[in-house]
Amino acid sequence: MDLFKIISDIEKVDPEIYERLDSRRRVFKHFGLAGKAVTGAMLPGLVSGLFQRAYGQTNSLPADIVAVLNLALSLEYLEFYFYDSGLAAPNLIPSADRPAFEKIRNDESGHIKVLRGALGSAAIPDPTRNAFDYSGGRGTGVGPFATALVNNYALFLGSSQAFVDTGVRAYKGGAPTLMPNKDILEAALNIHSVEARHSSHVRTVRRGLAASQSGQGATGVAGDLSNLNARPKSWISGTDNGGPSPSTNPSTAPVYGAGNPATGAPTAIFFPAENNISQAGVDISTIAGLNATAASEAFDEPLDPATVKSIARNFVNAAVAPNLFV
Amino acid sequence: MSKLHDSGVTDQGPTALVQPIQRRSFLKYTGASMAISGLLLAGCDDDDDPNNSGNLLDVGSGDNGVLNYAYALEQLEAAFYAQVKTGTYYSNLGAATSEKQILDDLALHEKAHAEFFKTALSTNAIKALEPDFSSINFNDRTSVLTAAQTFEDLGVAAYNGAGRYIQTAAYLVIAGKIVSVEARHAALIRDLLSYNRFVDNDVVDLFTPTGNASTPGVGNGTGLERSMKPNDVLAKANGFLKEGSKLSANNLK
């Protein structure tokens, strides 16, 4: 039996064995074993050492992956403390909707746990609740969303939608950077879709509230294409007319707008606005039976890190957390 | 060994299809020391024949394989919502109702996805699949919405589980653009059937705080979607496809 027979046999149960070993050729060199027969007596220590290297966790992630994951973690903290503050505010969230926001808050807590685990010592420290100014005032506390965590449930829902849709776009934009690490990529995708589920529900609740329906009754309220600001569909239609609060400063319009670069070749990665109707060079709106509205709704769009940060920074107390989303 | 695979999937496909992926997941989650015993248990001379897929239609390998896998699932969804429109549940819905709007939108979105993949794949596309929806009563609201939930949740789990096989970044972004829309669909259909079930433990590994819920990151669970491997997805999807249209994905890696 030689080493290559062992690896060949292992390939039958783990097709990725060569991939795992390939980046670690120095292991072979270190042992000076390439092509040599290995005696049975040598096997235990040698094999365990080799496979600990092949299957073991590495501690240092590439800088670009760390950056994507820490941006994601920052957004999770932004969301977590927002929902947690909402749940703590008396007379804000109606009892019918508390279970949903407890689920959403707890999901974000789980995402924070997962991202911290993936980042290890590279994770940013918990910025804490004090890092955020959910009024949109950057620390003044008197921005246009100030009542969202006091007594304005409609505004709470509007802010929730804007935060979660920003998150969905951010994960989509970050995914390509994670491609070299398949397990981290899959974890990020498994966060991404949960955020989209949250967005869908928040949008349903908003439609209901606009029609004075809560609980199951909210699902009986249709989206209104002429009033997407207050009665959005559970998916993004066009640019949602700028989202829940397009006319304030800060505005929710950039959440649904274009990032940078906004255009590119069909095979390139770029960040068009949510009303984009062309995918990989295919004009979806001209497919028989479809139209521009359906074409925009059927595909969400990614957002680049710089644009995500510029949106999120509006909700940071810059004096407390000068480095958050910078 | 067959009981050690990682997913909670109960549907088991033909043994030849699920065995390799189970062994692989097993290895991934148990690490180095178990790799050796896994090897011994599997048997050194027990070759798996990748071509032994019966009369299943294989989606292929590489990026085209992943895109065809997605195309197949989108075909299934598009065909489903097209058939929903032929049943009395749909035809009895009032013109301005939310459920009519939702089902109309879902039919359009899934058609957009399927036609996109067909166009993008061009001559590399698999054939038009023949669905088998005989288990669904299209005149019954619960039957239709339950099936819709199955398709939407399965689609999300499938895209999330297949992302790791995509080699071209632009295709990964396309898959991401679609899967979040599928997740939006899934959440709304689930809320229609039972409010506040937009996430629940069957599709998401729910997180439970073990201390103060206001302290982030401390608790059991992850809040992650339960992504699924292609063979587990197809074991379910094949239940809605006729003989000759049933699929395998033995070459995605």
Side-chain angles (χ1 to χ4, degrees):
Chain A
M1 183 181 267
D2 66 30
L3 195 53
F4 292 106
K5 174 71 165 74
I6 294 172
I7 292 168
S8 163
D9 286 343
I10 289 172
E11 190 194 9
K12 291 168 186 166
V13 291
D14 178 14
E16 289 169 4
I17 178 67
Y18 287 115
E19 207 174 302
R20 295 180 197 283
L21 292 171
D22 202 41
S23 63
R24 297 158 200 278
R25 283 217 170 104
R26 63 182 182 278
V27 173
F28 290 87
K29 284 179 183 160
H30 176 72
F31 285 118
L33 288 171
K36 289 184 184 170
V38 179
T39 68
M42 290 168 65
L43 265 176
L46 172 66
V47 171
S48 72
L50 180 62
F51 289 104
Q52 270 169 18
R53 287 176 175 82
Y55 288 92
Q57 290 279 352
T58 55
N59 284 327
S60 58
L61 290 169
D64 57 348
I65 290 182
V66 168
V68 166
L69 296 182
N70 267 330
L71 176 56
L73 181 56
S74 305
L75 289 166
E76 297 288 352
Y77 282 123
L78 171 77
E79 284 198 82
F80 173 87
Y81 285 114
F82 180 73
Y83 300 125
D84 195 61
S85 300
L87 287 163
N91 308 316
L92 178 65
I93 302 177
S95 57
D97 289 337
R98 286 190 68 88
F101 281 100
E102 284 167 1
K103 270 186 177 178
I104 292 173
R105 185 265 317 267
N106 291 349
D107 282 345
E108 312 305 4
S109 195
H111 299 166
I112 287 167
K113 174 182 156 185
V114 168
L115 291 166
R116 282 176 179 170
L119 281 158
S121 59
I124 60 162
D126 181 348
T128 76
R129 171 68 179 82
N130 291 336
F132 300 103
D133 175 3
Y134 293 111
S135 77
R138 293 177 170 244
T140 65
V142 294
F145 302 96
T147 56
L149 287 175
V150 182
N151 56 8
N152 189 335
Y153 186 50
L155 199 55
F156 173 80
L157 294 173
S159 294
S160 299
Q161 179 186 313
F163 289 145
V164 72
D165 281 336
T166 301
V168 172
R169 296 191 72 180
Y171 277 97
K172 223 185 304 294
T177 303
L178 305 179
M179 289 177 80
N181 190 317
K182 303 302 185 192
D183 291 337
I184 288 179
L185 171 66
E186 188 159 332
L189 294 175
N190 283 333
I191 295 175
H192 171 245
S193 61
V194 171
E195 297 293 343
R197 286 177 183 269
H198 294 172
S199 172
S200 174
H201 183 79
V202 168
R203 288 160 169 270
T204 302
V205 179
R206 292 189 71 227
R207 287 199 303 279
L209 185 68
S212 302
Q213 297 289 323
S214 70
Q216 188 75 59
T219 61
V221 179
D224 184 350
L225 285 173
S226 66
N227 184 15
L228 288 168
N229 309 101
R231 293 196 191 192
K233 295 182 175 184
S234 290
W235 28 90
I236 302 167
S237 189
T239 56
D240 268 350
N241 198 30
S245 187
S247 305
T248 49
N249 181 20
S251 161
T252 55
V255 174
Y256 306 97
N260 183 31
T263 58
T267 54
I269 294 171
F270 54 97
F271 307 95
E274 285 284 0
N275 62 354
N276 177 36
I277 56 169
S278 176
Q279 302 297 340
V282 180
D283 184 342
I284 306 298
S285 70
T286 57
I287 292 169
L290 296 180
N291 53 53
T293 300
S296 81
E297 292 174 4
F299 294 81
D300 282 344
E301 298 298 335
L303 209 50
D304 59 290
T307 305
V308 169
K309 288 175 186 173
S310 72
I311 292 169
R313 206 154 51 228
N314 292 314
F315 299 91
V316 171
N317 184 329
V320 174
N323 298 319
L324 196 58
F325 297 116
V326 172
Chain B
M1 213 177 147
S2 64
K3 290 180 179 171
L4 293 174
H5 65 108
D6 61 298
S7 77
V9 176
T10 52
D11 285 16
Q12 293 289 307
T15 301
L17 285 181
V18 296
Q19 281 291 333
I21 204 77
Q22 287 173 354
R23 287 174 195 151
R24 196 168 143 208
S25 302
F26 172 67
L27 276 177
K28 196 175 85 183
Y29 285 92
T30 55
S33 61
M34 292 301 287
I36 306 305
S37 53
L39 174 65
L40 294 173
L41 285 169
C44 292
D45 297 314
D46 180 20
D47 282 343
D48 293 312
D49 182 354
N51 299 317
N52 183 19
S53 50
N55 58 351
L56 297 177
L57 179 66
D58 198 86
V59 296
S61 62
D63 280 346
N64 279 341
V66 184
L67 296 179
N68 267 318
Y69 174 58
Y71 176 41
L73 295 173
E74 296 294 352
Q75 281 193 55
L76 196 54
E77 287 192 274
F80 168 73
Y81 290 111
Q83 195 160 333
V84 165
K85 294 193 173 185
T86 68
T88 56
Y89 158 53
Y90 174 85
S91 62
N92 288 336
L93 290 171
T97 60
S98 68
E99 285 181 34
K100 180 170 188 304
Q101 181 188 60
I102 291 163
L103 292 168
D104 284 345
D105 279 358
L106 266 51
L108 289 170
H109 299 174
E110 303 305 350
K111 181 175 187 176
H113 297 164
E115 293 296 320
F116 164 74
F117 282 118
K118 185 181 180 183
T119 305
L121 278 158
S122 185
T123 56
N124 293 314
I126 56 168
K127 67 177 185 177
L129 302 176
E130 282 191 87
D132 175 0
F133 295 138
S134 56
S135 63
I136 302 163
N137 179 356
F138 286 92
N139 300 325
D140 179 72
R141 177 181 187 267
T142 302
S143 181
V144 168
L145 293 182
T146 302
Q149 179 186 319
T150 298
F151 288 127
E152 300 292 351
D153 282 339
L154 189 63
V156 176
Y159 275 101
N160 284 4
R164 61 166 58 235
Y165 306 119
I166 297 173
Q167 285 147 23
T168 305
Y171 294 155
L172 178 66
V173 174
I174 291 279
K177 292 176 180 212
I178 293 174
V179 68
S180 54
V181 174
E182 303 289 359
R184 293 172 186 277
H185 293 169
L188 179 53
I189 295 292
R190 294 173 68 91
D191 273 342
L192 272 176
L193 280 165
S194 181
Y195 196 66
N196 282 343
R197 289 203 62 223
F198 56 105
V199 289
D200 221 341
N201 216 34
D202 58 330
V203 287
V204 175
D205 173 29
L206 293 180
F207 176 88
T208 309
T210 47
N212 182 351
S214 297
T215 303
V218 182
N220 298 316
T222 59
L224 296 182
E225 187 93 33
R226 298 183 187 274
S227 53
M228 290 169 67
K229 298 293 182 194
N231 283 350
D232 294 329
V233 170
L234 293 181
K236 286 183 180 251
N238 281 341
F240 298 99
L241 290 166
K242 287 184 177 169
E243 290 298 330
S245 286
K246 293 183 191 291
L247 301 160
S248 66
N250 294 333
N251 300 299
L252 295 184
K253 52 187 165 188

